[in-house]
Amino acid sequence: MKAQTINRHQLLRGQFAGDNTIRPPWSIDELAFTENCTRCYKCADVCHSHLIVKGSGGFPEISFNRQGCDFCESCVRACPEDVLYIDEINNQAAWQQTAEISNECFSMRGIVCRSCGEICESRAIQFKPDIGGRTQVILNTTACNGCGECVHVCPAGAIKISKDSAMGKNHE
C-alpha cells in the first residue's frame, strides 16, 4: 500500500487525497515554486485564457473551468522570478500531468457524448463502440499534453487533469 502525505493546510480543509494543484505551465518543482514565487500574478495578468487563478496559499494555479491552455508561453515571459521557465530539457513538456476520465463519463454510461474527443487537438481521446450501445473511452496518456480543453466541455464533469495520471509518462 502506497503511503500518501498531506500537509497541515490540506488536513484542516479536509483534503485527504493530497495535493493535486496544477501550477502554470513550465513551473519549477513545487517546493522551489512556493519558496521563490512572490505572488505578483504577472503570469495571470497575461494569460489570455484566464486559466491562472489565485490558489491555495495565494500562489498561482491553473483552473480548467473555462478553457484549456494553448501553451502560448506568455506566462513564462511575464514571470520575473523565473519560477516559470523553458530550457532545452523541458521545452517540449509544459507540465507533467494528463487527463483522467472517471466512470461518470456519459459515453461509458450509454449516453452519446463525444465532447472531449472532438475538442482534443492531440487526439488523445478516442471512442470505441462496445456492447449494449455503450462506448469504450480510450485515453492515450502518451498523446495527452495535459492542456485541459477536455475538462470544461465535459457535461458530466468526468474529466480532471491530474499529476498522478502522468506517472510513468515519458516527457523527454
Side-chain angles (χ1 to χ4, degrees):
M1 181 174 178
K2 181 181 171 185
Q4 185 165 11
T5 60
I6 61 174
N7 63 31
R8 182 172 178 253
H9 179 78
Q10 293 163 333
L11 176 68
L12 296 174
R13 291 202 166 29
Q15 298 169 333
F16 302 114
D19 187 23
N20 197 27
T21 301
I22 307 295
R23 297 290 177 211
W26 295 287
S27 295
I28 60 178
D29 71 83
E30 183 67 16
L31 182 59
F33 183 91
T34 55
E35 284 180 0
N36 295 298
C37 176
T38 60
R39 300 173 236 188
C40 68
Y41 285 95
K42 290 181 181 177
C43 57
D45 293 341
V46 299
C47 181
H48 65 89
S49 300
H50 307 289
L51 298 176
I52 304 174
V53 298
K54 185 176 184 177
S56 177
F59 292 101
E61 63 184 57
I62 297 291
S63 170
F64 294 112
N65 293 337
R66 293 188 189 116
Q67 62 185 20
C69 182
D70 63 4
F71 308 111
C72 69
E73 301 177 11
S74 294
C75 56
V76 178
R77 289 189 295 274
C79 180
E81 272 68 23
D82 292 331
V83 295
L84 309 177
Y85 75 96
I86 300 173
D87 63 16
E88 311 82 45
I89 296 171
N90 74 352
N91 69 353
Q92 297 299 316
W95 41 41
Q96 302 291 316
Q97 54 264 348
T98 58
E100 248 182 54
I101 304 173
S102 76
N103 290 334
E104 296 300 312
C105 172
F106 285 164
S107 290
M108 290 183 195
R109 296 168 62 199
I111 302 167
V112 177
C113 179
R114 304 282 188 276
S115 299
C116 59
E118 290 170 358
I119 202 163
C120 182
E121 287 185 27
S122 63
R123 300 291 174 234
I125 303 172
Q126 302 289 319
F127 300 91
K128 180 181 172 187
D130 208 355
I131 299 172
R134 295 182 190 272
T135 303
Q136 182 181 11
V137 181
I138 301 166
L139 175 63
N140 180 347
T141 56
T142 304
C144 179
N145 61 14
C147 72
E149 282 290 352
C150 55
V151 175
H152 74 93
V153 299
C154 179
I159 304 175
K160 70 177 184 174
I161 302 297
S162 174
K163 288 190 275 189
D164 295 336
S165 62
M167 297 304 285
K169 182 175 175 181
N170 185 4
H171 284 278
E172 297 182 89

